[in-house]
Amino acid sequence: MDNQTVMTGVFGYPVGQSMSPDMHNAAFQTRGLNYAYAAFPIAPGQLQEAVSGIRALGFKGVNVTIPHKVEIMRYLDEIDDEARQIGAVNTVVNRDGVLIGYNTDGQGFVRSLLEETQVNVAGKRVLILGAGGAARAVAVSLARNGAKQISIANRSQDKAIELAGQVRIHTDAEAIRLDQVDVQLLKGIDLLVNTTSIGMYPAIDGMPISSEALHSGLLVSDLIYNPLETRLLREARQIGASTHNGVGMFIHQGALSFQLWTGYDAPLDVMRRTVLERLRNKT
Ligand code: NAP
């Protein structure tokens, strides 16, 4: 770092465990960019002042994570279309003092799926398990990228209904009950996406749906990346279904932020290696 270093970082609370600083600093170094990325724990109630700090300190931008992704929208000058539709911002770009909010989570998911499984979501029939923040980003991006049909099953039915209504402007969408998810329903599905936290470390035996509902014609994706292979993915693989884990989404959302800040393509391989190393050291 020197007097010319361009600052970026992540605002969240807590952010101590974030893998983003290692991932982005490795990427900046690989591209020979004099940028730095740090984690900023911003306590609830301090967000507006922290956003003023982006302007005052001349940061190029920040990532935003839990719990600030929704509230930050109030303090920005412009919100990109997709972020507005998702209802949350995970990336802020400072363009000469004008702060613009984006959401790269959903596009990160779509790009990761294409890169790792060669599956293009256009024309696909999708079932999303969960209707929280990650589900919102994934559902909106899938719909905007031409998914033919999106069903959403969530424990709290009202959230599934609300999200289905939101994506219906782009595609055929419906909310269903979690207990409706059975083998018959999944026969009409190409892509199953788990966006719930069920199966995440340390409760790794959790299954969001019964394994009997799975079949070999499915592509099963789990947004969880710790563990890299959740029980859902393991059981799907064992019956011959294709699988996709959450690491790629994390890397690609970061790569899109990197591109927004620097204007350069991100070094995906370096970012992936850095993240996998961090995850291996965790377990
Ligand atoms: P969130 O907003 O808190 O949503 C959590 C979702 O999980 C809700 O749909 C919730 O249902 C459901 N859920 C939680 N516990 C459940 C249980 N015991 N039974 C049934 N449903 C349950 O969280 P989020 O930010 O969307 O994150 C969700 C998951 O995605 C996490 O595992 C997170 O690590 C992962 N994620 C990954 C990436 C990536 O880059 N790969 C990015 C973001 C998130 P209710 O609505 O009924 O509570």
Side-chain angles (χ1 to χ4, degrees):
M1 281 188 37
D2 57 37
N3 291 349
Q4 307 300 316
T5 304
V6 178
M7 278 305 300
T8 61
V10 55
F11 287 0
Y13 200 80
V15 281
Q17 297 300 309
S18 174
M19 296 190 290
S20 294
D22 284 350
M23 179 173 78
H24 280 283
N25 285 321
F28 293 143
Q29 208 175 351
T30 300
R31 286 284 178 264
L33 296 166
N34 189 5
Y35 277 60
Y37 189 110
F40 298 94
I42 309 294
Q46 299 292 310
L47 184 62
Q48 188 168 11
E49 283 177 76
V51 172
S52 302
I54 300 174
R55 290 193 188 87
L57 299 169
F59 281 25
K60 183 61 203 174
V62 292
N63 283 133
V64 188
T65 188
I66 290 168
H68 299 311
K69 284 183 170 190
V70 176
E71 187 192 342
I72 197 161
M73 297 175 81
R74 281 192 246 155
Y75 312 128
L76 303 176
D77 302 307
E78 290 172 28
I79 308 285
D80 164 77
D81 242 20
E82 183 157 331
R84 185 177 302 288
Q85 209 179 342
I86 292 167
V89 157
N90 82 330
T91 305
V92 176
V93 180
N94 181 357
R95 295 219 167 92
D96 301 322
V98 178
L99 300 188
I100 308 165
Y102 296 86
N103 193 312
T104 66
D105 282 334
Q107 283 304 329
F109 174 77
V110 169
R111 285 185 183 218
S112 155
L113 204 65
L114 186 61
E115 188 204 9
E116 290 160 53
T117 70
Q118 286 74 53
V119 168
N120 185 329
V121 300
K124 296 290 183 288
R125 299 161 301 174
V126 187
L127 171 61
I128 296 176
L129 304 173
R136 292 190 66 82
V138 167
V140 167
S141 293
L142 287 172
R144 291 171 68 104
N145 282 276
K148 180 177 166 194
Q149 177 204 314
I150 299 181
S151 304
I152 299 158
N154 192 46
R155 177 177 58 181
S156 317
Q157 182 78 355
D158 52 332
K159 278 161 71 182
I161 292 169
E162 206 269 323
L163 182 52
Q166 179 75 35
V167 297
R168 205 168 282 134
I169 54 170
H170 296 291
T171 191
D172 194 9
E174 59 169 359
I176 59 172
R177 293 195 319 271
L178 260 175
D179 63 10
Q180 277 178 281
V181 180
D182 58 12
V183 72
Q184 204 47 41
L185 185 120
L186 281 180
K187 278 198 178 131
I189 295 296
D190 308 303
L191 169 63
L192 171 68
V193 190
N194 177 41
T195 75
T196 76
S197 42
I198 302 171
M200 192 164 72
Y201 181 84
I204 59 171
D205 281 335
M207 268 294 269
I209 54 167
S210 155
S211 50
E212 275 131 51
L214 299 170
H215 62 82
S216 61
L218 284 170
L219 167 56
V220 181
S221 176
D222 200 323
L223 301 199
I224 293 170
Y225 47 74
N226 187 17
L228 285 173
E229 187 177 58
T230 57
R231 183 175 164 198
L232 174 68
L233 292 188
R234 189 174 68 244
E235 301 214 358
R237 176 175 56 78
Q238 283 168 349
I239 60 146
S242 306
T243 60
H244 170 253
N245 69 27
V247 169
M249 173 176 172
F250 179 72
I251 290 160
H252 279 271
Q253 62 75 33
L256 289 163
S257 302
F258 179 97
Q259 205 169 21
L260 285 166
W261 296 325
T262 67
Y264 292 101
D265 279 347
L268 288 167
D269 287 354
V270 169
M271 293 166 84
R272 178 170 282 113
R273 219 177 309 132
T274 307
V275 168
L276 288 176
E277 216 163 278
R278 274 286 303 268
L279 287 170
R280 261 194 295 273
N281 292 339
K282 243 183 207 180
T283 47

